Structure formats: C-alpha cells, structure tokens
Amino acid sequence: MEEAESIIDINKNTYDKIASKFKVVPIENERNKFITNLRIGSLILDLGCGAGDDVKFFLGKKFKAIGIDNSKSMLESARKNVPNGDFRELDMLDLKFADAYFDAVWSKASLIHIPKSVVKTVLSEVHRILKSKGVIALISRIPNIVKQHAIKHNFTVAKEKSVWSGSE
C-alpha cells in the first residue's frame, strides 16, 4: 500500500503543478450516452473531476453533481470554472459519502492514475456509494483488472465498453 500511496502522491503533485495549463478534450458523445441512463436531477459523482468541465456539463443538463479530486490546484481551477459547483478534496481510496448515496459515478481518465494494486479498493468504494441500479461510467482504456472487478460487483456492460450499469 505504501508504494500505491507514493504513486498517488506523485500524480497529485504533478496535477498541482500543471493545473493552470491543463486542458480537457471534450467527450460529448460519451457524456450524452451516460446521461441517457439517468433521470433529470440524479446525483452524479465526478471521480477525479480535474478542472470541473464534466461537472459543468452535468449541471447544465439539470443534474446534481459533486466533483472530487486530490489535487488542490485542480480543485481551485474547478471552482473558478464552475462557481456554482460542489468540489471536494477527497481520495478515491476513502470516499467520505454514505452508502448508496449517488445515482451515478462518472470517472474520466482517473483510474489510469492509480496503481493496479488499489483498483479493487477504489471500485469497492464506488460500489459502496452507488445506489442499487446506479450507473457508472469508466472512461479510459479499461485495464482487465478494472473490468474483472466491476463484473464481480455485478456491474454489467452497457452499449459502450466505457459505460457500466449496476444491476444488483
């Protein structure tokens, strides 16, 4: 676990340094597919929210959203980018939310920043805070370890490989 924490700290420090220059490539298609699985007003967790662009999109589409990141500088950018957004400094390994709190979890390119040794822990936390029949989107190249653990927790693959839907 010590090695994992070291890697996570390196990533956090890197994003703290580059936050002001960080630009996101919009992925409208994936976001639109994701929200078709949700009711207006659903509560979405943006896991690794960066500069808050996805939170801004979700709020603009009449959803509720909370963005979390472990980089203070990225969160500062998010708060400037989305003044009405709810952004919190949290670690994916210890999500400070009640069980079954979120209707959906959006994770764009955040799991690629953590070591394989803690992927199961992160996905267990996501499963814990996700409501029954909740929706999760893992947007990135999904390593087999992520896919296997998602299946273990009864997530089923939706139309796109990057979108997972809870099926408890």
Side-chain angles (χ1 to χ4, degrees):
M1 190 66 140
E2 210 171 285
E3 180 185 353
E5 289 173 359
S6 174
I7 293 169
I8 291 167
D9 283 342
I10 289 168
N11 285 319
K12 177 183 177 285
N13 293 334
T14 300
Y15 278 99
D16 280 344
K17 290 176 186 171
I18 68 166
S20 64
K21 298 175 183 146
F22 186 77
K23 298 291 181 206
V24 175
V25 176
I27 53 171
E28 297 297 316
N29 194 35
E30 286 86 350
R31 290 192 294 203
N32 284 321
K33 285 180 184 177
F34 175 66
I35 64 173
T36 62
N37 293 291
L38 302 173
R39 292 187 174 145
I40 296 297
S42 293
L43 179 58
I44 302 167
L45 174 66
D46 185 354
L47 189 69
C49 65
D53 295 304
D54 295 318
V55 168
K56 186 176 191 174
F57 173 85
F58 297 136
L59 293 175
K61 297 289 184 180
K62 307 297 184 218
F63 295 98
K64 298 172 194 163
I66 298 173
I68 68 161
D69 209 294
N70 68 349
S71 166
K72 288 180 183 182
S73 296
M74 292 304 286
L75 289 168
E76 287 173 17
S77 294
R79 290 180 182 115
K80 287 178 187 170
N81 187 27
V82 192
N84 61 329
D86 182 348
F87 297 101
R88 304 176 190 188
E89 184 180 354
L90 287 177
D91 187 329
M92 287 187 256
L93 293 167
D94 185 23
L95 298 172
K96 306 281 188 203
F97 298 103
D99 294 355
Y101 191 76
F102 290 94
D103 299 298
V105 176
W106 171 262
S107 173
K108 181 182 72 188
S110 53
L111 294 180
I112 63 172
H113 295 96
I114 60 172
K116 288 181 181 180
S117 62
V118 296
V119 168
K120 289 180 182 181
T121 302
V122 171
L123 289 178
S124 292
E125 274 292 277
V126 168
H127 182 257
R128 181 185 64 76
I129 64 167
L130 190 63
K131 291 179 181 177
S132 176
K133 307 236 184 230
V135 177
I136 179 171
L138 305 173
I139 310 297
S140 65
R141 292 188 180 147
I142 302 174
N144 282 337
I145 190 170
V146 175
K147 188 173 183 179
Q148 290 166 2
H149 192 72
I151 290 168
K152 179 182 174 189
H153 282 291
N154 297 321
F155 294 127
T156 55
V157 178
K159 292 180 184 176
E160 295 287 319
K161 286 185 180 177
S162 58
V163 180
W164 299 78
S165 175
S167 65
E168 207 170 65

